[in-house]
Amino acid sequence: NAGVTQTPKFQVLKTGQSMTLQCAQDMNHEYMSWYRQDPGMGLRLIHYSVGAGITDQGEVPNGYNVSRSTTEDFPLRLLSAAPSQTSVYFCASSRLDRSSYEQYFGPGTRLTVT
Amino acid sequence: TQLLEQSPQFLSIQEGENLTVYCNSSSVFSSLQWYRQEPGEGPVLLVTVVTGGEVKKLKRLTFQFGDARKDSSLHITAAQPGDTGLYLCAGTFFNAGGTSYGKLTFGQGTILTVHP
């Protein structure tokens, strides 16, 4: 099992450009989510999905879009990149377990917007 | 938005010392998790606690969940340089309907450095 994979590992964008961060998992997990991590702020939830065709907003959704057409894939789209979106982005997946929602994280994508 | 306060933010100690990291919220957790993250990698789950008063041990790490399920602590005994990393607590909360959210709320993290 590869677990949760993310591509690319590093990316530099100019302000106004768009791009898609890829995330895939091979554990047949229903729940997938995207977080951003900034110094001193832990991880903040951007969007999440409880299954194919179902997505919802997290704590900081503005400027990001998601879709979930398959169980395995959950791409994150930046519509018009801004310097405030410079961050490290993590994708995570888990089973839909009512007691815990233990999450498995990918290795992250480090994004810089100039 | 549920808030989760983690302290201290930084901890620098010598090998062999003990330490405790705290995680607190004004709301009741339905479950609480502790993660460890190393530079350049994603967080890795250490433990999940779901029952008030629960204590779990993982080698030299002891995790406690408060009786009221509003706080948790991570205690490391005889810290070693290999314990160096970012420690994150994360909780799920009950929604108004009394069921558990799937969303995790993370604390700000504790950067632990253990010097040889």
Side-chain angles (χ1 to χ4, degrees):
Chain A
N1 280 355
V4 179
T5 57
Q6 290 183 240
T7 55
K9 194 153 179 68
F10 300 95
Q11 183 71 50
V12 179
L13 289 179
K14 289 185 171 24
T15 298
Q17 287 184 318
S18 63
M19 79 159 293
T20 299
L21 279 62
Q22 301 293 342
C23 174
Q25 53 94 7
D26 61 0
M27 296 173 281
N28 203 31
H29 284 166
E30 304 94 333
Y31 185 87
M32 294 186 75
S33 53
W34 277 101
Y35 295 87
R36 60 177 289 172
Q37 185 173 35
D38 302 293
M41 300 189 75
L43 283 90
R44 292 182 292 167
L45 183 65
I46 304 172
H47 285 286
Y48 67 99
S49 167
V50 297
I54 306 169
T55 64
D56 204 349
Q57 296 181 350
E59 185 186 349
V60 288
N62 291 342
Y64 308 95
N65 269 1
V66 291
S67 60
R68 182 110 178 257
S69 56
T70 67
T71 300
E72 295 78 18
D73 300 297
F74 190 44
L76 177 73
R77 281 182 290 278
L78 278 70
L79 309 173
S80 177
S84 61
Q85 293 179 304
T86 293
S87 187
V88 182
Y89 291 85
F90 289 98
C91 178
S93 75
S94 71
R95 297 179 308 160
L96 274 178
D97 182 330
R98 285 185 175 274
S99 65
S100 66
Y101 297 103
E102 301 179 15
Q103 309 236 358
Y104 295 81
F105 285 84
T109 294
R110 185 174 294 274
L111 175 69
T112 302
V113 183
T114 61
Chain B
T1 301
Q2 312 289 359
L3 287 179
L4 204 154
E5 295 290 329
Q6 191 174 337
S7 63
Q9 192 173 355
F10 300 96
L11 207 46
S12 179
I13 61 172
Q14 293 297 124
E15 183 175 1
E17 293 183 1
N18 302 332
L19 66 110
T20 303
V21 179
Y22 299 94
C23 183
N24 296 283
S25 174
S26 58
S27 301
V28 175
F29 296 109
S30 60
S31 72
L32 188 130
Q33 299 167 20
W34 286 93
Y35 290 83
R36 180 165 173 263
Q37 184 179 17
E38 301 205 25
E41 299 180 8
V44 175
L45 181 69
L46 294 172
V47 77
T48 299
V49 286
V50 297
T51 305
E54 186 174 4
V55 177
K56 284 192 174 179
K57 291 186 187 249
L58 187 66
K59 297 183 181 177
R60 293 175 293 100
L61 278 61
T62 302
F63 304 87
Q64 281 194 292
F65 200 19
D67 291 340
R69 297 164 68 176
K70 291 186 176 182
D71 60 276
S72 180
S73 63
L74 157 62
H75 182 79
I76 301 179
T77 304
Q80 298 176 1
D83 296 326
T84 293
L86 174 65
Y87 290 82
L88 295 155
C89 64
T92 55
F93 296 91
F94 291 107
N95 62 14
T99 56
S100 178
Y101 277 118
K103 298 182 286 186
L104 277 181
T105 298
F106 279 82
Q108 307 96 312
T110 296
I111 298 174
L112 171 65
T113 304
V114 182
H115 302 280

